Amino acid sequence: MLSRVSYALGLLLIVPLGDAFNRYLFLQIMELISICALFLVFIAPNVWLFGLAVVIIGLTSIGGQIIIPYIAYLTPSKNKGPS
């Protein structure tokens, strides 16, 4: 439940930041935080630290929602469909 709620919060609060910052750097930072949180889940000594790491994983798992507009931005305009 923690991961689903934090994923929804990530969609609501973090995905709009993709338009305000450099998407490439933003994606790299999000994935780095996600990797650190996954490692924290692996070594979590108690349930509280495990829960915190799961929330962070949920928040940072929105990379797929950021990469799609980034790929559309990288596509040359001659390859894009009619607007």
Side-chain angles (χ1 to χ4, degrees):
M1 181 181 88
L2 289 175
S3 64
R4 296 293 180 177
V5 170
S6 59
Y7 179 73
L9 286 175
L11 288 174
L12 182 67
L13 302 173
I14 297 175
V15 169
L17 293 176
D19 293 332
F21 298 109
N22 179 0
R23 287 187 186 115
Y24 181 71
L25 182 62
F26 192 61
L27 275 169
Q28 287 182 337
I29 291 170
M30 293 297 291
E31 296 305 318
L32 181 64
I33 294 170
S34 181
I35 290 168
C36 293
L38 287 167
F39 183 70
L40 185 60
V41 163
F42 176 68
I43 63 168
N46 57 35
V47 71
W48 300 109
L49 199 54
F50 180 82
L52 175 66
V54 167
V55 168
I56 294 170
I57 290 170
L59 285 172
T60 59
S61 63
I62 48 100
Q65 307 301 325
I66 297 171
I67 200 165
I68 294 169
Y70 178 61
I71 291 172
Y73 168 75
L74 293 177
T75 305
S77 60
K78 67 177 183 170
N79 294 343
K80 293 181 182 178
S83 299

